[in-house]
Structures are given as C-alpha cells and as structure tokens.
Amino acid sequence: MSNSFKQIAAGIALAFGSVAGAHAATITISCGSVGQDFEFCKKTTEDWAKKTGNTVKLFTPPQSTTDILALFRQMFAAKSSDLDVINVDVVWPGMIKDHLIDLKPYSKGAEKEHFPSIVANNTADGRLIAMPWFTDAGLLYYRKDLLEKHGEKAPTTWEELAATAKKIQDAERKAGNADMQGFVFQAKAYEGLTCDAVEWLWSYGGGNIVDDKGQITVNNPKAAKALSTAASWIGTIAPTGVLNYGEEDARGVFQSGNAVFMRNWPYAWSLGNGKDSKIAGKIGVSALPKGGADGKNAATLGGWQLAVSKYSKNPKEAADLVMYMTSKEIQKERAIKGSYNPTIPSLYQDKEVLAAAPFFGDLYNVFTSAVPRPATATGLKYNEVSAAFWNATHDVLSGKEKAEASLGKLEGKLKQIKRREW
C-alpha cells in the first residue's frame, strides 16, 4: 500500500471516528480523596462511561475540605470549564450556589426519594443545585477487645471517656505498647476541627457558634467548659501530634492498633474492618458521649453532594453522571462496600446494607438528628465564621489561650465579620 493511499485511508478512518464520537463527551469529575472515595469514584464513573459511550476523567482534590473549597472558588472566579462535576460539602451550597446549574430539568423527581432536609439544604432560590450523595455524622469508635480486657464499657459521657482512655492507655503502655493512645480525633486548624468542636459545645449545652436566627451565641460558660475539657485531653489521653490530625491521620493511628477511642465519620468502619486492618472485628461504634450527666449526645451533620459547574461545556452529560452516581443502586453499593451513609431512607431498612454496617440501624437517630453547622444562618460568610471558630478552638487546645479569653476574642471577630447582617 502506497504512502498516499495510507494517508487517504487514515483520513477516512479519522472522519468516521469523529462522526461516531460526535455526540460523546468527556466529563471531568472531582469526587473525593479520603478513604476509599477515589476507588469507588473510579469504578462508578467507568461503569457510567461504558453505558453511555462517554469518557470520564478523574480529578483528585486535596484531602482538606478547606483546601478543596479554596481551589473550587479559584476555578469559579476564572469561569474554568476544566471541572464538570464537583463534590460539594453539606455547608457549601449557600456559598457557591451562583456557580452551579439547576438539576431539576434532569432529575425527573428523583430527589423525592432522598431525605427532605438534605434536599432542602441543596436547594437555593428554587433551584436544585446539588444531588445528595451520602450523609455523615460524627461517631465514636472504640476497641471492643480492649474495653472487655480491662473491664470497661463504652463511655456515655466525655468524663467517662477520659477516665477509661487513661486507664487502658496506661495499662497497655505498661504491658509493652509504648505507642498506645487513649483518644484520637481531628484537631488540626481546619473545617474538621469545627465539626468536632460543634459536637463538644452542643453536648455541654453550649449551643452553636451562631444560632438559627443569626445571633452570635458561642461566648458562654458552657461552651468554655466544653473547650476546656477538650484541651485537657491533649498530652494526657491524646498525643500532642493530634493538633495536626485530620480524619485520615486519626484513622491511621486507630487502625494500626494504637488508640482506644477515635472520633471519625462512618467511612472508617469498612476500612477498619478491611483485610489489611490490624483491628478488623475488634471495633465498636456508638454515639459520641454527652457533656456530663446533664449533657446530650451530639453529632455534627456532614455529608457530600454532587453538582454540575455552570461553566461546564457538557452540562447534560454531566447531570446524567450526577443522577447515576447518586441513584439508589449506587448508594446501596457504596453503603455495603464502603459504609457510606445513604441519603435515601429506605436503604436503612435494607437487609444487605444492615448486615454490612449494623450501626446504620442502631444509630439511625444519630444520623437523622445530627447538628448542622451554621452555614444557612451565615450564608456567604460561613467560611470566615468557621475559620475564626477553628482558630479560636485550636488556640485553646494548644494551650495558647484559656477558653474564656479565646471565646471572648472570637465573639469580637464574629461581630466584625457580621457587621450589620450576615
């Protein structure tokens, strides 16, 4: 075959190829980097690509939610079309609503299957700007075997947790495990610390950072008690290194067998019971402790949604991918294999789901009554509010400030952020 004929043949093949692929789209999606997020994302998007004939590229965001939001905001400011589908934290809709398309024309009413409160959270100005993907609430993980060994039960108050953690930590260290810690959690200065600290405040009756009416309520004696209690854990039952821990740092210590208790999200269950885990089959899960006998259990509402960027060149295909990934079928698979909490109530009665993650049923009320961060009340200024709160909390935990002084300064800072209105 002559070179000229080869060139003609190649040109014909290229022409036919371009016609065949004329309606195919390439969709770039950001859908998580913590735990098994990436692998689940890869598999699910590959399945959708095979069914639709489209192509999917994965974008791996930073691990910190704070860094993810900063990156997305930069892309939105530039009106970048590099990302079609983005993962949206439960507190972001009010902050980024102007950069997301309305999914109602594509959902065909599927949102009615999901928790109404989450759908309401994802609705702005009458537009459905994100589909619920999975929900979250903070949980207490503990070593069942160690508690049994030392004659202890799962704690119901933070005071009981501290006492039990110290007793078992010291005994295990004496027995030869010098790396044993009593309690690990998220204490780095980032959004994860806001989640943990909201739980502490609420459990002691200290309210939230800002109440539902937009009033700054954080500077009160019960909130100070909560933060002082948490500060007392650093260097006693928690390592000083916890001041730089995110979710995965805490999970790494706990899963390696070097912590009695851990505060984390539901995703840690399936990983902790995985084949490579040193503590598989030895993990218990309960609601987070109360703040004293008169306190109450509190779990911060977390969770993620999927949305389509307003700057996407392929909004129809991107929306179709969102609807596929948030469907009942995919949520069930993720619940069973990754212990991701579904946003569809009927899955909490599913026998296969409950067999894989029994606490979904036992702690159902924890998930349905989780405490929201004040994102709705503070709107576009939520990120500034949260940053001020986590920095003030970190100052207390690290010993730079006493709780009362730090909360006093925080109140002043929040008043500056609010000015007249949020």
Side-chain angles (χ1 to χ4, degrees), residues 190-212:
Y190 78 120
E191 186 66 26
L193 178 54
T194 290
C195 293
D196 286 35
V198 162
E199 291 164 349
W200 303 334
L201 263 62
W202 198 267
S203 73
Y204 276 96
N208 213 318
I209 310 165
V210 174
D211 69 15
D212 293 342

Side-chain angles (χ1 to χ4, degrees), residues 275-292:
K275 293 179 182 178
D276 62 341
S277 173
K278 292 183 179 180
I279 56 172
K282 300 176 181 179
I283 305 171
V285 184
S286 71
L288 288 162
K290 299 176 183 178

Side-chain angles (χ1 to χ4, degrees), residues 366-386:
V366 172
F367 303 119
T368 55
S369 60
V371 180
R373 286 159 278 172
T376 302
T378 56
L380 292 170
K381 295 182 179 179
Y382 171 74
N383 207 40
E384 288 181 80
V385 169
S386 184

Side-chain angles (χ1 to χ4, degrees), residues 251 254-255 267-274 277-281 283:
R251 185 179 69 83
F254 185 72
Q255 197 168 309
Y267 85 94
W269 169 262
S270 64
L271 291 166
N273 285 298
S277 173
K278 292 183 179 180
I279 56 172
I283 305 171

Side-chain angles (χ1 to χ4, degrees), residues 117-162:
S117 59
I118 303 178
V119 175
N121 180 81
N122 297 351
T123 302
D125 305 322
R127 298 182 306 120
L128 180 64
I129 57 174
M131 277 297 293
W133 188 26
F134 66 94
T135 188
D136 253 343
L139 298 171
L140 180 69
Y141 290 83
Y142 58 90
R143 287 282 300 278
K144 291 189 299 184
D145 57 325
L146 291 180
L147 265 63
E148 185 178 340
K149 175 182 174 182
H150 295 279
E152 295 291 341
K153 295 179 181 179
T156 59
T157 67
W158 289 115
E159 290 73 17
E160 287 177 5
L161 180 143

Side-chain angles (χ1 to χ4, degrees), residues 9-10 35 38 58 161 163 168 192 204 228-229 236 249 279 292 307 318-319 345 384:
F38 185 82
L58 301 188
L161 180 143
I168 297 176
Y204 276 96
S228 297
T229 299
T236 56
D249 305 296
I279 56 172
E384 288 181 80

Side-chain angles (χ1 to χ4, degrees), residues 170-179:
D170 292 352
E172 290 296 308
R173 287 180 179 179
K174 192 174 181 180
N177 185 1
D179 295 325

